[in-house]
Amino acid sequence: MTEKTILRALKGEVLPTPPIWMMRQAGRYLPEYRATRAQAGDFLSLCYTPDLAAEVTLQPIRRFGFDAAILFADILLICQALGAKLWFETGEGPRLSTVTSAAEIEALKPADAIHDTLAPVYETVRILSRELPKETTLIGFAGAPWTVATYMVAGRGTRDQGPAHALKTSDRAAFQALIDRLTDATIDYLSMQVQVGAEVVKLFDSWAGSLKGQDFTDFAVAPTARIIAELKSRHPGLPIIAFPREAGQGYVGFARATGADCVALDNSVSPEWAAANVQVDGCVQGNLAPGYMVTGGPEMDTAIRQVVRAFAKGPHIFNLGHGITPEADPDNVARMIEVVRGG
Ligand code: CP3
């Protein structure tokens, strides 16, 4: 059997057509997702019901034939597994009980206690590794420690990650302890996803862009490097994608500094710049602006071709620069795949 295209790109192979998948490919822009979510009742029940989570993971594969499926779950489930309260306010986003002191961080559950809560996620992975088409790669994931910490400290999403920055300044030792706890838990979580069938794992550091200078090194690079080193020692050859979103200049050398096989790029960097400065070190993923999935048209075709062309001389996985939004038109997604595959 020939190896799956995503795995070939992750090993550094330059393919005539880049493999393609899409962040948030299972999501509210799809009527079949909205129907299954309604059946589940709410978002967290969908995440924790393996048959339904597997079903929504498979929906975009059936409809579009993407080269990879990403496990349906959320980066914040691990907070719940560590003992925080988590719920989603409809139309607003996540809410959590906050963790803001050394004592509260100390009181979190140890890394090896997370698996009870996360057992349904592992069951979803098992179902998917049985049911996915043989050419489709299964991607597991977790949030990177800094991004997860920003939600745990603030108790919600924030525009500027202010509460996490404030704790980092007022009590750097406590903040480091939180990062260390999340790093340990993330290693065990991803390792278990791999044991039950994930073929690739991705670390989402959505708020990496708000870390500057030494903070970027300490809280984006260092935890990512430790997670990758430990995962690769437990699972030799495991391909790992890192997404330090909006890292800007921080993308340069990120693969070398962390051991990531692929760096995912947001759409604030031009593909030409990223080809010259990031793809020189290996595979990249990205980075079409998600807004084109709403607006479509000839401008979308042009932008897609620009991304494909810019990255054509090196290993590349086509993706958006961030998740597809609920207002997107599924017909634009179908057209994107057609253009990437030569239409
Ligand atoms: O990409 C996929 O299809 C896989 C599943 C996935 C989800 N969230 C499902 C989801 C993945 C990989 C994530 C990652 C995630 N979750 C991130 C990192 C990536 C990024 O977008 O920056 C973050 C920051 C979260 C936390 C989170 N989950 C927020 C802030 C929200 C609310 C905002 C929003 O988009 O609604 C969620 C909810 C969420 N996670 C939805 C989905 C499909 C929408 C929930 C719904 O159906 O109502």
Side-chain angles (χ1 to χ4, degrees):
M1 195 181 94
T2 43
E3 201 179 7
K4 301 179 186 186
T5 51
I6 296 252
L7 300 177
R8 289 168 63 189
L10 287 167
K11 282 183 180 162
E13 203 177 316
V14 184
L15 299 166
T17 297
I20 176 170
W21 68 281
M22 191 175 70
M23 282 186 268
R24 292 277 168 100
Q25 63 190 20
R28 288 160 290 182
Y29 74 106
L30 287 179
E32 59 268 37
Y33 171 86
R34 295 195 297 269
T36 309
R37 189 181 179 289
Q39 191 187 338
D42 61 75
F43 175 67
L44 281 177
S45 303
L46 179 54
C47 291
Y48 286 123
T49 308
D51 285 338
L52 298 183
E55 166 58 24
V56 295
T57 307
L58 291 164
Q59 284 168 351
I61 307 305
R62 286 190 207 114
R63 188 194 264 253
F64 301 115
F66 284 115
D67 295 297
I70 183 158
L71 163 68
F72 190 85
D74 197 86
I75 65 162
L76 300 178
L77 302 184
I78 202 166
C79 309
Q80 215 170 16
L82 288 167
K85 293 192 175 56
L86 171 68
W87 68 103
F88 280 78
E89 293 284 349
T90 313
E92 290 190 39
R95 294 289 182 274
L96 302 95
S97 53
T98 59
V99 178
T100 55
S101 66
E104 283 170 343
I105 293 162
E106 183 57 33
L108 292 171
K109 292 185 194 170
D112 60 6
I114 63 174
H115 301 305
D116 284 349
T117 304
L118 297 169
V121 176
Y122 308 141
E123 185 54 28
T124 305
V125 174
R126 285 193 193 91
I127 297 170
L128 288 168
S129 55
R130 284 197 303 270
E131 296 198 357
L132 276 169
K134 63 176 187 343
E135 65 277 13
T136 313
T137 301
L138 178 57
I139 303 176
F141 73 92
W146 158 252
T147 288
V148 176
T150 66
Y151 289 93
M152 290 187 90
V153 175
R156 57 187 300 161
T158 49
R159 203 183 295 270
D160 61 358
Q161 298 74 60
H165 284 291
L167 179 62
K168 169 166 66 62
T169 304
S170 66
D171 191 344
R172 201 166 177 101
F175 189 73
Q176 183 69 57
L178 176 58
I179 294 291
D180 291 344
R181 298 290 284 263
L182 286 168
T183 302
D184 291 340
T186 303
I187 290 165
D188 284 356
Y189 182 36
L190 289 175
S191 185
M192 192 63 89
Q193 291 182 28
V194 173
Q195 276 180 54
V196 294
E199 299 167 281
V200 172
V201 296
K202 178 171 175 184
L203 278 168
F204 285 88
D205 213 348
S206 303
W207 300 118
S210 80
L211 291 168
K212 304 297 172 200
Q214 191 62 38
D215 283 346
F216 185 80
T217 306
D218 291 351
F219 301 120
V221 176
T224 300
R226 185 150 83 81
I227 292 166
I228 292 176
E230 183 60 29
L231 286 174
K232 289 203 179 248
S233 94
R234 293 190 198 179
H235 310 280
L238 172 70
I240 302 175
I241 304 171
F243 182 34
R245 191 170 74 90
E246 292 191 356
Q249 286 295 329
Y251 281 127
V252 181
F254 196 82
R256 265 177 286 139
T258 60
D261 300 275
C262 175
V263 175
L265 302 160
D266 72 87
N267 49 281
S268 71
V269 294
S270 84
E272 292 78 14
W273 176 86
N277 292 284
V278 188
Q279 199 185 29
V280 287
D281 291 331
C283 188
V284 292
Q285 177 180 281
N287 70 342
L288 185 74
Y292 286 114
M293 296 299 103
V294 182
T295 55
E299 295 82 5
M300 175 182 81
D301 288 12
T302 304
I304 293 166
R305 293 194 177 100
Q306 186 196 341
V307 172
V308 170
R309 198 178 318 113
F311 292 124
K313 293 200 180 73
H316 177 218
I317 298 168
F318 194 96
N319 206 308
L320 304 179
H322 200 195
I324 189 168
T325 55
E327 318 77 60
D329 182 344
D331 289 345
N332 291 332
V333 176
R335 174 67 188 157
M336 169 177 71
I337 296 173
E338 193 177 75
V339 174
V340 168
R341 292 182 177 160

